[in-house]
Amino acid sequence: QVQLVESGGGLVQAGGSLRLSCAASGRTLTMGWFRQAPGKEREFVGGIKWSDSYTSYVDSVKGRFTISRDNAKNTVYLQMNSLKPEDTAVYYCAAAWIHTPVHDPNRYQYWGQGTQVTVSS
């Protein structure tokens, strides 16, 4: 069983930045970041492989968000720049025994509790 704890959410103005952290109690193969806005389905934001830091992002965040990992701390980060009001959501990290990040949340076995990100216009 892997436990995930997110931190770093909050309220920021449009154009601002936030960095989310996800501390894992153990190691899997791939980590993902998802978000869910009210009334919408959970959406893949991006993911990273522990082994070689390969990353993948949804088109809407490419060039603005960056995922990185610290192997020594078993922690994954989501750096969010140039934030937009439409980025407002609860953000979740997830862990999976898959060899590359995928968009399907059902492929991820472990989930954090989520952290709220609110971007004001």
Side-chain angles (χ1 to χ4, degrees), residues 4 8 37 51 62 76 78 83 113 119:
L4 305 175
S51 61
K62 285 180 180 177
V76 173
L78 177 63
L83 282 161
Q113 80 286 357
V119 184

Side-chain angles (χ1 to χ4, degrees), residues 87-104:
D87 294 318
T88 295
V90 177
Y91 282 70
Y92 299 89
C93 69
W97 292 105
I98 53 178
H99 291 281
T100 193
V102 298
H103 292 220
D104 183 358

Side-chain angles (χ1 to χ4, degrees), residues 25-54:
S25 64
R27 186 75 60 82
T28 56
L29 296 177
T30 293
M31 298 291 290
W33 283 99
F34 289 79
R35 64 187 179 186
Q36 189 165 20
K40 295 189 176 181
E41 294 187 351
R42 193 164 295 190
E43 175 191 30
F44 175 79
V45 174
I48 188 168
K49 293 171 59 177
W50 281 112
S51 61
D52 60 5
S53 285
Y54 167 82

Side-chain angles (χ1 to χ4, degrees), residues 57-78:
Y57 301 92
V58 69
D59 286 347
S60 60
V61 307
K62 285 180 180 177
R64 301 189 298 124
F65 291 11
T66 302
I67 297 173
S68 61
R69 83 326 187 211
D70 184 329
N71 283 13
K73 295 182 179 180
N74 272 2
T75 298
V76 173
Y77 304 97
L78 177 63

